[in-house]
Structures are given as structure tokens and as C-alpha cells.
Amino acid sequence: MSDITSREEEMVEEISRLQGERPYLDNLFRSFGPILLQRQRWLQKRLKPGKTFQVDPVKYTAGIALVQQCQGFLDDDRWQDAGLAAAGAIGRGLPDLAMDMDYLANRIRGGLDCQAMCLAAAESSEVDVNQRAAEIGIKEVSFVVFLRSVERMILGLRAMEMAEELAKLNWQKGYCPVCGSFPHLAVIREKGQRWLQCPKCSHEWKFPRMTCPYCEHEDPENTGFLFVEGKKEEMAYTCDKCRKYLITIDQSGNLRHISADLLAISLAHLDIVVQEQGLEPMVQCEWNTYQNQQ
Ligand SMILES: [Zn+2]
Ligand SMILES: [Zn+2]
């Protein structure tokens, strides 16, 4: 009990509620639930209060994200620990990858440098990443899911550390002010404000409701909303200019704070419908691409 934070408990309850409500997405919740819970636990434990970076307000307002201004990854980010936590959770959620994750965890315990491995991969092409997976001795998909998970943990730390500082500054772009990723979800809150959600660091930021976060055009003629029958709060914003879409959920009036990752997973059926129409997500993440690879 002492090991479990109340935020994590809330997530456990939320996952089981959503699983019951949306049995057709059971597979996704089973796969990614353990990974999200592990990340939550790791972030709660690892947060060192008071650690902040100097942000240049002029550069920031001009759209230069935090990780482009300062170092996004630090030596003391406890990479080995993050690697072991990620490998364990992926193995539990995705049984097909479990053997690779056991093997990788053993290599990490044996001294494989997680920080060097992840940073090198972040700067490598897909081909190089695939080659590195082969050198380590695991499947490409295992390595990619692992790298993404560790990256999400470390960037999640940055976002938590910087949230207060960034809230005072003005950000006008459709990509994340912390890590530069495009959003995977938009949440509509009080007064109709649209909050974009980052799939990597979990930062959220306000953005004009009718502007496309990807190509920034705001012509209503080329903008659409796609709904599933009977669910008026759940929709996909679509842009005819760049042919991207953004899953959107109206949470105005809902006082419960549900994790954006869980909301995004709970709307993954919409991803399929929109992708069948030839549109692409603004960013690829496990829950809007993995299901298509099954
Ligand atoms: Zn981000
Ligand atoms: Zn667009």
C-alpha cells in the first residue's frame, strides 16, 4: 500500500471502469495499462522538487521548445532504473515482447548503459535503430516500444519539473512547449478552451479551438469534425489542408481528472474510423498505430 500513490490508485480504478464500459478496447487497456501505471509510479517517486531550467521568454514565445533551449536529458535522470521499470511493465502488458524485455533487463542489470543507448537511438535513423536492436539481440518492435517508454518517463520528469515555470509564459504553437511533439489528443474544458495533450511528456497547453495544431491554418471551410453516433463529446478534428486529425474529447463539466493517455486509449476506435478515411494522426503513438499492426 505504501508503494502505491493515490494518483496511481485512481488510474487503476479508471482503467477498470473504462475496460468495463468499452470492452472492445480491452486488448489496448491490457497492453498499455501496466506501462502507464508503471510510468505514473516512477514519476511520482522520482520527482525532485525545485529542479528547474532557465527558459528564455523571447525564444519561448517564438516557438522554441524547452528541449531545444536546454538539455532535455540529464545524467542524473536514473536511466538504469527507468530502463528496468520500462522493461518490466512492457513485459507484463505485451506478452509477445516479454522474452525480449527479460533479456534486455538482464543486460541492463549486467551494465548495459541505458542512457547511452537511448540517447544514441534518439539521434539515429530507423535503419540504425533496427540494426542496434539486432546487435542487442531483440526484435525491432521490442526495442522501439522500450525506447519510447523510457523517453516518455524522462521527458515526463522534465514536464513535471517545469510545469509551474511554463504556466507563466506564452506559447502559441501546436507542438509541445516542453519536448516539441505534436499532440495526440485535445481536451475541451471550461469556457470551451481546447487543451492539447503531449503523448511524450504529458504536458498540456492551451490552443485556439479552430486552428489546426499541425499546419496552423484556421479556415473553417477546410476543417471538419467527425463524430461517432450517440457520443457527442467524442470527436475527431480533421484538417483538409494537411490531412491530419486530432482526437478530441469534451470534458467541460466533468470534474474528474482522467489521464490524457487513458482518454486517448478509450477513443482508439475513433482512430481506426478516421484513418480508414485516409487521414493521419498528428503524431504516432502506440495506441493509434499498434492496433493496426495486430
Ligand atoms: Zn511534450
Ligand atoms: Zn492542418
Side-chain angles (χ1 to χ4, degrees), residues 155 159 175-182 197-205:
L155 287 175
Y175 51 85
C176 173
V178 176
C179 72
S181 168
F182 280 103
Q197 309 291 324
C198 178
K200 286 192 179 175
C201 72
S202 299
H203 186 71
E204 61 167 21
W205 68 103

PDB file of all heavy atoms in Angstrom, residues 155 159 175-182 197-205, ligand 1:
ATOM      1  N   LEU A 155      11.127  12.432 -20.188  1.00  0.00           N
ATOM      2  CA  LEU A 155      10.507  13.702 -20.582  1.00  0.00           C
ATOM      3  C   LEU A 155       9.350  14.064 -19.634  1.00  0.00           C
ATOM      4  O   LEU A 155       9.077  15.235 -19.406  1.00  0.00           O
ATOM      5  CB  LEU A 155      10.001  13.639 -22.025  1.00  0.00           C
ATOM      6  CG  LEU A 155      11.097  13.667 -23.103  1.00  0.00           C
ATOM      7  CD1 LEU A 155      10.488  13.482 -24.485  1.00  0.00           C
ATOM      8  CD2 LEU A 155      11.901  14.971 -23.059  1.00  0.00           C
ATOM      9  N   ALA A 159       8.672  17.676 -17.811  1.00  0.00           N
ATOM     10  CA  ALA A 159       7.396  18.401 -17.862  1.00  0.00           C
ATOM     11  C   ALA A 159       6.893  18.706 -16.456  1.00  0.00           C
ATOM     12  O   ALA A 159       6.386  19.793 -16.188  1.00  0.00           O
ATOM     13  CB  ALA A 159       6.366  17.591 -18.642  1.00  0.00           C
ATOM     14  N   TYR A 175       2.732  22.424 -31.369  1.00  0.00           N
ATOM     15  CA  TYR A 175       3.588  21.359 -30.837  1.00  0.00           C
ATOM     16  C   TYR A 175       3.964  21.694 -29.392  1.00  0.00           C
ATOM     17  O   TYR A 175       3.861  22.840 -28.950  1.00  0.00           O
ATOM     18  CB  TYR A 175       4.824  21.139 -31.716  1.00  0.00           C
ATOM     19  CG  TYR A 175       5.610  22.384 -32.054  1.00  0.00           C
ATOM     20  CD1 TYR A 175       6.577  22.891 -31.193  1.00  0.00           C
ATOM     21  CD2 TYR A 175       5.376  23.070 -33.240  1.00  0.00           C
ATOM     22  CE1 TYR A 175       7.288  24.032 -31.491  1.00  0.00           C
ATOM     23  CE2 TYR A 175       6.083  24.222 -33.564  1.00  0.00           C
ATOM     24  CZ  TYR A 175       7.042  24.703 -32.679  1.00  0.00           C
ATOM     25  OH  TYR A 175       7.730  25.847 -32.977  1.00  0.00           O
ATOM     26  N   CYS A 176       4.420  20.656 -28.688  1.00  0.00           N
ATOM     27  CA  CYS A 176       4.593  20.771 -27.233  1.00  0.00           C
ATOM     28  C   CYS A 176       5.728  21.720 -26.842  1.00  0.00           C
ATOM     29  O   CYS A 176       6.838  21.595 -27.359  1.00  0.00           O
ATOM     30  CB  CYS A 176       4.856  19.367 -26.674  1.00  0.00           C
ATOM     31  SG  CYS A 176       5.273  19.364 -24.928  1.00  0.00           S
ATOM     32  N   PRO A 177       5.451  22.640 -25.913  1.00  0.00           N
ATOM     33  CA  PRO A 177       6.499  23.576 -25.489  1.00  0.00           C
ATOM     34  C   PRO A 177       7.638  22.917 -24.714  1.00  0.00           C
ATOM     35  O   PRO A 177       8.705  23.482 -24.597  1.00  0.00           O
ATOM     36  CB  PRO A 177       5.749  24.553 -24.577  1.00  0.00           C
ATOM     37  CG  PRO A 177       4.521  23.852 -24.147  1.00  0.00           C
ATOM     38  CD  PRO A 177       4.164  22.912 -25.254  1.00  0.00           C
ATOM     39  N   VAL A 178       7.406  21.710 -24.193  1.00  0.00           N
ATOM     40  CA  VAL A 178       8.476  21.040 -23.450  1.00  0.00           C
ATOM     41  C   VAL A 178       9.344  20.219 -24.404  1.00  0.00           C
ATOM     42  O   VAL A 178      10.552  20.402 -24.476  1.00  0.00           O
ATOM     43  CB  VAL A 178       7.907  20.126 -22.336  1.00  0.00           C
ATOM     44  CG1 VAL A 178       9.032  19.356 -21.646  1.00  0.00           C
ATOM     45  CG2 VAL A 178       7.126  20.950 -21.327  1.00  0.00           C
ATOM     46  N   CYS A 179       8.718  19.312 -25.170  1.00  0.00           N
ATOM     47  CA  CYS A 179       9.532  18.353 -25.935  1.00  0.00           C
ATOM     48  C   CYS A 179       9.392  18.500 -27.451  1.00  0.00           C
ATOM     49  O   CYS A 179      10.110  17.843 -28.200  1.00  0.00           O
ATOM     50  CB  CYS A 179       9.175  16.930 -25.518  1.00  0.00           C
ATOM     51  SG  CYS A 179       7.555  16.410 -26.098  1.00  0.00           S
ATOM     52  N   GLY A 180       8.477  19.338 -27.910  1.00  0.00           N
ATOM     53  CA  GLY A 180       8.360  19.579 -29.350  1.00  0.00           C
ATOM     54  C   GLY A 180       7.470  18.592 -30.098  1.00  0.00           C
ATOM     55  O   GLY A 180       7.313  18.691 -31.321  1.00  0.00           O
ATOM     56  N   SER A 181       6.860  17.637 -29.397  1.00  0.00           N
ATOM     57  CA  SER A 181       5.991  16.658 -30.078  1.00  0.00           C
ATOM     58  C   SER A 181       4.633  17.290 -30.428  1.00  0.00           C
ATOM     59  O   SER A 181       4.153  18.181 -29.719  1.00  0.00           O
ATOM     60  CB  SER A 181       5.747  15.468 -29.145  1.00  0.00           C
ATOM     61  OG  SER A 181       4.720  14.644 -29.643  1.00  0.00           O
ATOM     62  N   PHE A 182       4.026  16.803 -31.493  1.00  0.00           N
ATOM     63  CA  PHE A 182       2.640  17.208 -31.765  1.00  0.00           C
ATOM     64  C   PHE A 182       1.699  16.465 -30.809  1.00  0.00           C
ATOM     65  O   PHE A 182       2.070  15.422 -30.259  1.00  0.00           O
ATOM     66  CB  PHE A 182       2.288  16.923 -33.231  1.00  0.00           C
ATOM     67  CG  PHE A 182       2.813  17.983 -34.154  1.00  0.00           C
ATOM     68  CD1 PHE A 182       3.949  17.769 -34.921  1.00  0.00           C
ATOM     69  CD2 PHE A 182       2.189  19.226 -34.228  1.00  0.00           C
ATOM     70  CE1 PHE A 182       4.456  18.775 -35.738  1.00  0.00           C
ATOM     71  CE2 PHE A 182       2.681  20.235 -35.046  1.00  0.00           C
ATOM     72  CZ  PHE A 182       3.818  20.007 -35.806  1.00  0.00           C
ATOM     73  N   GLN A 197      -2.711  17.791 -25.704  1.00  0.00           N
ATOM     74  CA  GLN A 197      -2.040  16.847 -24.808  1.00  0.00           C
ATOM     75  C   GLN A 197      -0.834  16.219 -25.499  1.00  0.00           C
ATOM     76  O   GLN A 197      -0.957  15.683 -26.604  1.00  0.00           O
ATOM     77  CB  GLN A 197      -3.017  15.738 -24.400  1.00  0.00           C
ATOM     78  CG  GLN A 197      -4.347  16.241 -23.863  1.00  0.00           C
ATOM     79  CD  GLN A 197      -4.213  16.917 -22.510  1.00  0.00           C
ATOM     80  OE1 GLN A 197      -3.407  16.498 -21.680  1.00  0.00           O
ATOM     81  NE2 GLN A 197      -4.996  17.970 -22.277  1.00  0.00           N
ATOM     82  N   CYS A 198       0.293  16.259 -24.811  1.00  0.00           N
ATOM     83  CA  CYS A 198       1.512  15.690 -25.397  1.00  0.00           C
ATOM     84  C   CYS A 198       1.625  14.198 -25.067  1.00  0.00           C
ATOM     85  O   CYS A 198       1.535  13.812 -23.910  1.00  0.00           O
ATOM     86  CB  CYS A 198       2.738  16.430 -24.864  1.00  0.00           C
ATOM     87  SG  CYS A 198       4.264  15.724 -25.504  1.00  0.00           S
ATOM     88  N   PRO A 199       1.848  13.363 -26.090  1.00  0.00           N
ATOM     89  CA  PRO A 199       1.945  11.924 -25.839  1.00  0.00           C
ATOM     90  C   PRO A 199       3.295  11.518 -25.257  1.00  0.00           C
ATOM     91  O   PRO A 199       3.452  10.412 -24.762  1.00  0.00           O
ATOM     92  CB  PRO A 199       1.793  11.322 -27.244  1.00  0.00           C
ATOM     93  CG  PRO A 199       2.353  12.372 -28.144  1.00  0.00           C
ATOM     94  CD  PRO A 199       2.037  13.695 -27.519  1.00  0.00           C
ATOM     95  N   LYS A 200       4.284  12.412 -25.324  1.00  0.00           N
ATOM     96  CA  LYS A 200       5.619  12.030 -24.841  1.00  0.00           C
ATOM     97  C   LYS A 200       5.846  12.467 -23.400  1.00  0.00           C
ATOM     98  O   LYS A 200       6.202  11.669 -22.553  1.00  0.00           O
ATOM     99  CB  LYS A 200       6.692  12.666 -25.731  1.00  0.00           C
ATOM    100  CG  LYS A 200       6.805  12.003 -27.079  1.00  0.00           C
ATOM    101  CD  LYS A 200       8.056  12.464 -27.784  1.00  0.00           C
ATOM    102  CE  LYS A 200       8.186  11.788 -29.135  1.00  0.00           C
ATOM    103  NZ  LYS A 200       9.334  12.313 -29.873  1.00  0.00           N
ATOM    104  N   CYS A 201       5.659  13.769 -23.132  1.00  0.00           N
ATOM    105  CA  CYS A 201       5.999  14.248 -21.781  1.00  0.00           C
ATOM    106  C   CYS A 201       4.749  14.491 -20.937  1.00  0.00           C
ATOM    107  O   CYS A 201       4.864  14.820 -19.755  1.00  0.00           O
ATOM    108  CB  CYS A 201       6.832  15.519 -21.876  1.00  0.00           C
ATOM    109  SG  CYS A 201       5.906  16.967 -22.411  1.00  0.00           S
ATOM    110  N   SER A 202       3.558  14.377 -21.538  1.00  0.00           N
ATOM    111  CA  SER A 202       2.271  14.573 -20.831  1.00  0.00           C
ATOM    112  C   SER A 202       2.009  16.028 -20.440  1.00  0.00           C
ATOM    113  O   SER A 202       1.149  16.288 -19.615  1.00  0.00           O
ATOM    114  CB  SER A 202       2.148  13.697 -19.582  1.00  0.00           C
ATOM    115  OG  SER A 202       2.219  12.353 -19.933  1.00  0.00           O
ATOM    116  N   HIS A 203       2.753  16.956 -21.023  1.00  0.00           N
ATOM    117  CA  HIS A 203       2.447  18.367 -20.778  1.00  0.00           C
ATOM    118  C   HIS A 203       1.143  18.702 -21.516  1.00  0.00           C
ATOM    119  O   HIS A 203       0.807  18.050 -22.508  1.00  0.00           O
ATOM    120  CB  HIS A 203       3.593  19.231 -21.306  1.00  0.00           C
ATOM    121  CG  HIS A 203       3.444  20.688 -20.981  1.00  0.00           C
ATOM    122  ND1 HIS A 203       3.592  21.184 -19.711  1.00  0.00           N
ATOM    123  CD2 HIS A 203       3.140  21.762 -21.765  1.00  0.00           C
ATOM    124  CE1 HIS A 203       3.404  22.492 -19.718  1.00  0.00           C
ATOM    125  NE2 HIS A 203       3.122  22.869 -20.953  1.00  0.00           N
ATOM    126  N   GLU A 204       0.415  19.717 -21.034  1.00  0.00           N
ATOM    127  CA  GLU A 204      -0.759  20.178 -21.782  1.00  0.00           C
ATOM    128  C   GLU A 204      -0.700  21.690 -21.919  1.00  0.00           C
ATOM    129  O   GLU A 204      -0.162  22.375 -21.064  1.00  0.00           O
ATOM    130  CB  GLU A 204      -2.063  19.724 -21.131  1.00  0.00           C
ATOM    131  CG  GLU A 204      -2.292  20.240 -19.732  1.00  0.00           C
ATOM    132  CD  GLU A 204      -3.726  20.021 -19.263  1.00  0.00           C
ATOM    133  OE1 GLU A 204      -4.443  19.175 -19.797  1.00  0.00           O
ATOM    134  OE2 GLU A 204      -4.130  20.746 -18.329  1.00  0.00           O
ATOM    135  N   TRP A 205      -1.207  22.184 -23.028  1.00  0.00           N
ATOM    136  CA  TRP A 205      -1.172  23.621 -23.266  1.00  0.00           C
ATOM    137  C   TRP A 205      -2.409  24.048 -24.051  1.00  0.00           C
ATOM    138  O   TRP A 205      -2.969  23.277 -24.816  1.00  0.00           O
ATOM    139  CB  TRP A 205       0.126  24.024 -23.975  1.00  0.00           C
ATOM    140  CG  TRP A 205       0.284  23.549 -25.393  1.00  0.00           C
ATOM    141  CD1 TRP A 205       0.128  24.301 -26.529  1.00  0.00           C
ATOM    142  CD2 TRP A 205       0.647  22.230 -25.851  1.00  0.00           C
ATOM    143  NE1 TRP A 205       0.369  23.535 -27.643  1.00  0.00           N
ATOM    144  CE2 TRP A 205       0.682  22.265 -27.258  1.00  0.00           C
ATOM    145  CE3 TRP A 205       0.927  21.013 -25.207  1.00  0.00           C
ATOM    146  CZ2 TRP A 205       0.995  21.153 -28.027  1.00  0.00           C
ATOM    147  CZ3 TRP A 205       1.226  19.897 -25.977  1.00  0.00           C
ATOM    148  CH2 TRP A 205       1.260  19.983 -27.354  1.00  0.00           C
TER     149      TRP A 205
HETATM  150 ZN    ZN B   1       5.862  17.129 -24.673  1.00  0.00          ZN
END
